[in-house]
Amino acid sequence: KLDRKTGAVLWSQAFTNGRFTTGTTPLALAYGHLVASCGMGASQSFVGADGGTGAITANQAAAASVYELDPATGRVNWARGITTYETDAGTPTQVSSVDVTANNVVVAGTFAGSQLIDTPAHAIDVPHVGTVVNGNQANGFVVELAVANGAPAWAKGFGDATGPGTVGKTFASGSSTSGGIVVGGNFTGNVDFGAGPHASVGLQDGFVVLLANKAGAPAWEKYFDGANVNDVGPVRTEPCGGSVFLLYTGSTLASMDGVTFPAPQSGGNAALVGKLDSAGKLLWVNGVTPGGSPDTNGINPYDVAVGQDAHSVTVGNFRGTIDLGDGTPVSPLGGSGPYMIRYEP
């Protein structure tokens, strides 16, 4: 934590041992709670609330940890391991997103072992669907933890139970208004959230679903399934109960709910932001598309956020000539440049 005026370090917290391919990535600060997740090996130590050294253990060489830290001191109030029983680092468990609401912490990611559990309580028990072959067929998962002490409330897994398909990075956001959990990500093959399997169409399809009854079947499902790669994430809930999602696509997507998707140039990709209402209807889509030669263009979307007045902001990086969504070509001053776009509700 840095001083807001001077940038001086006020406190720091280290998590050791970490996993060399995954540092401390997802982080959320809301309602006075700071929650972070990072990769871990079979054990990980930290500085606890009393100033002493604490530790959590996992059952595998490539697990994930979740921590609630005191925003004033950086010390850990509670810790939770998310892991499977496989010791092989080729069957990793990874957390892609952490979201804090007034009462819970929503954690989402992927696992490739035979059974997802938590440590130390072992209150989570999510069996892997499909074939476990050295991490080649990952499942997605969503876990809800109590923000007060990290106790698991429920967990849900999903994947391809009938073929070699896999779930990529999975993101989730909890809604304080509707009580539902919005989940987004990508998959190949088939995916089943509890309402029956859905087959992918392109090289990789994106999805957004609402888990209104938490671990049960989804209230609605949306799929983005053009011929090329389509990737959803992150997703964010709005104060009014709707949701906003980031869509990275190389496909010319068919219109949905009367809304036309901006088309990427042949050979290029588009970084789009879309808004869904609480019933899953697509309200609008806008974003960044390439212009000029696709060989010199690159678009890298990083994140999307929602303000209290329901406006949305997205950030990313680009090279070449692009259209930020207003029809005006933009080129970076150097080899590449950042972008930030605000969308009204």
Side-chain angles (χ1 to χ4, degrees):
K1 180 178 180 179
L2 307 179
D3 184 274
R4 63 178 180 175
K5 294 182 178 180
T6 66
V9 176
L10 300 179
W11 57 256
S12 62
Q13 171 73 259
F15 305 106
T16 57
N17 294 307
R19 182 173 171 233
F20 68 92
T21 56
T22 308
T24 307
T25 44
L27 183 146
L29 175 61
Y31 301 96
H33 295 279
L34 174 60
V35 181
S37 175
C38 59
M40 64 175 289
S43 65
Q44 195 165 68
S45 61
F46 54 87
V47 177
D50 60 358
T53 300
I56 53 174
T57 60
N59 300 319
Q60 62 179 146
S65 53
V66 181
Y67 296 97
E68 202 263 343
L69 298 86
D70 185 330
T73 65
R75 293 177 177 179
V76 172
N77 293 324
W78 55 257
R80 184 73 53 182
I82 308 294
T83 179
T84 67
Y85 284 113
E86 279 68 26
T87 59
D88 187 355
T91 55
T93 301
Q94 295 181 321
V95 169
S96 302
S97 72
V98 171
D99 187 44
V100 176
T101 71
N103 300 310
N104 63 11
V105 179
V106 179
V107 179
T110 57
F111 71 102
S114 60
Q115 182 185 20
L116 184 74
I117 63 171
D118 70 290
T119 57
H122 287 206
I124 295 173
D125 182 4
V126 178
H128 183 281
V129 297
T131 304
V132 179
V133 184
N134 199 35
N136 291 327
Q137 192 178 10
N139 282 195
F141 72 85
V142 180
V143 173
E144 183 179 4
L145 307 175
V147 74
N149 57 15
W154 59 269
K156 182 179 180 65
F158 42 88
D160 189 345
T162 60
T166 189
V167 177
K169 282 189 175 181
T170 302
F171 302 85
S173 182
S175 171
S176 297
T177 53
S178 67
I181 307 296
V182 176
V183 184
N186 65 72
F187 73 102
T188 62
N190 289 277
V191 68
D192 188 351
F193 295 96
H198 182 92
S200 64
V201 175
L203 298 176
Q204 176 180 283
D205 287 4
F207 64 82
V208 180
V209 303
L210 175 66
L211 303 179
N213 54 351
K214 308 295 179 71
W220 49 258
E221 305 172 61
K222 289 288 187 181
Y223 293 95
F224 306 91
D225 50 8
N228 296 312
V229 171
N230 308 279
D231 187 9
V232 168
V235 294
R236 309 291 185 198
T237 52
E238 292 184 318
C240 62
S243 57
V244 173
F245 61 94
L246 193 63
L247 172 62
Y248 183 63
T249 179
S251 304
T252 300
L253 298 170
S255 60
M256 179 183 294
D257 298 329
V259 176
T260 300
F261 290 85
Q265 187 182 50
S266 177
N269 293 294
L272 308 179
V273 174
K275 178 176 178 177
L276 300 161
D277 67 14
S278 59
K281 180 181 179 181
L282 184 63
L283 300 179
W284 55 259
V285 177
N286 204 338
V288 183
T289 55
S293 170
D295 294 332
T296 60
N297 284 315
I299 301 170
N300 301 294
Y302 295 143
D303 208 350
V304 63
V306 177
Q308 288 300 308
D309 61 353
H311 75 271
S312 306
V313 175
T314 185
V315 293
N317 173 274
F318 73 98
R319 62 182 186 272
T321 303
I322 63 169
D323 181 351
L324 292 172
D326 59 1
T328 303
V330 176
S331 299
L333 297 178
S336 65
Y339 68 82
M340 177 181 289
I341 309 171
R342 172 177 169 138
Y343 303 100
E344 295 306 313

Coordinates of all heavy atoms in Angstrom, one line a residue, residues 11-15 45-48 69 73-76:
W11 N 2.8 -0.2 3.9 CA 3.0 -1.6 4.3 C 3.1 -2.5 3.1 O 2.8 -2.1 2.0 CB 1.8 -2.1 5.2 CG 0.4 -2.0 4.7 CD1 -0.5 -1.1 5.0 CD2 -0.2 -2.9 3.7 NE1 -1.7 -1.4 4.3 CE2 -1.5 -2.5 3.5 CE3 0.3 -4.0 3.0 CZ2 -2.4 -3.1 2.6 CZ3 -0.6 -4.7 2.1 CH2 -1.9 -4.2 2.0
S12 N 3.7 -3.7 3.3 CA 3.8 -4.7 2.3 C 3.6 -6.0 2.9 O 3.8 -6.2 4.1 CB 5.1 -4.6 1.6 OG 6.2 -4.9 2.5
Q13 N 3.1 -6.9 2.1 CA 2.8 -8.3 2.5 C 3.3 -9.3 1.5 O 3.0 -9.1 0.3 CB 1.3 -8.5 2.7 CG 0.9 -10.0 3.0 CD 1.2 -10.5 4.4 OE1 2.2 -11.2 4.5 NE2 0.4 -10.1 5.3
A14 N 4.1 -10.2 1.9 CA 4.7 -11.2 0.9 C 4.0 -12.6 1.2 O 3.7 -12.9 2.3 CB 6.2 -11.3 1.1
F15 N 3.8 -13.3 0.1 CA 3.3 -14.7 0.2 C 4.3 -15.6 -0.3 O 4.6 -15.6 -1.5 CB 2.0 -14.8 -0.6 CG 0.9 -13.8 -0.2 CD1 0.7 -12.7 -1.0 CD2 0.3 -13.9 1.0 CE1 -0.3 -11.7 -0.7 CE2 -0.7 -12.9 1.4 CZ -0.9 -11.8 0.5
S45 N 3.4 -19.1 3.3 CA 3.4 -18.4 4.5 C 3.1 -17.0 4.3 O 3.3 -16.4 3.2 CB 4.7 -18.6 5.2 OG 5.8 -18.1 4.5
F46 N 2.7 -16.3 5.4 CA 2.3 -14.9 5.4 C 2.4 -14.3 6.8 O 2.6 -15.1 7.8 CB 0.9 -14.7 4.9 CG -0.1 -15.6 5.6 CD1 -0.8 -15.1 6.7 CD2 -0.4 -16.9 5.1 CE1 -1.7 -15.9 7.4 CE2 -1.3 -17.7 5.8 CZ -2.0 -17.2 7.0
V47 N 2.2 -13.0 6.9 CA 2.2 -12.4 8.3 C 0.7 -12.2 8.7 O -0.1 -11.6 8.0 CB 2.8 -11.0 8.2 CG1 2.7 -10.3 9.6 CG2 4.3 -11.1 7.8
G48 N 0.4 -12.8 9.8 CA -1.0 -12.9 10.3 C -1.4 -11.6 11.0 O -0.6 -10.7 11.2
L69 N -7.0 -9.3 3.8 CA -6.0 -8.5 4.5 C -6.6 -7.3 5.1 O -7.6 -6.7 4.6 CB -4.9 -8.0 3.5 CG -4.1 -9.1 2.8 CD1 -4.7 -9.6 1.5 CD2 -2.7 -8.5 2.5
T73 N -3.1 -2.4 7.8 CA -1.8 -2.9 8.1 C -1.3 -3.9 7.1 O -0.1 -4.2 7.1 CB -1.9 -3.6 9.5 OG1 -2.8 -4.8 9.3 CG2 -2.5 -2.7 10.5
G74 N -2.1 -4.5 6.3 CA -1.7 -5.5 5.3 C -1.6 -6.9 5.9 O -1.3 -7.8 5.2
R75 N -1.9 -7.0 7.2 CA -1.8 -8.3 7.8 C -3.0 -9.2 7.4 O -4.1 -8.7 7.2 CB -1.7 -8.2 9.3 CG -0.3 -7.6 9.7 CD -0.2 -7.4 11.2 NE 1.1 -6.9 11.6 CZ 1.4 -6.6 12.8 NH1 0.5 -6.8 13.8 NH2 2.6 -6.1 13.1
V76 N -2.8 -10.5 7.4 CA -3.9 -11.4 6.9 C -4.8 -11.7 8.0 O -4.5 -12.2 9.1 CB -3.2 -12.7 6.4 CG1 -4.3 -13.8 6.0 CG2 -2.4 -12.4 5.1

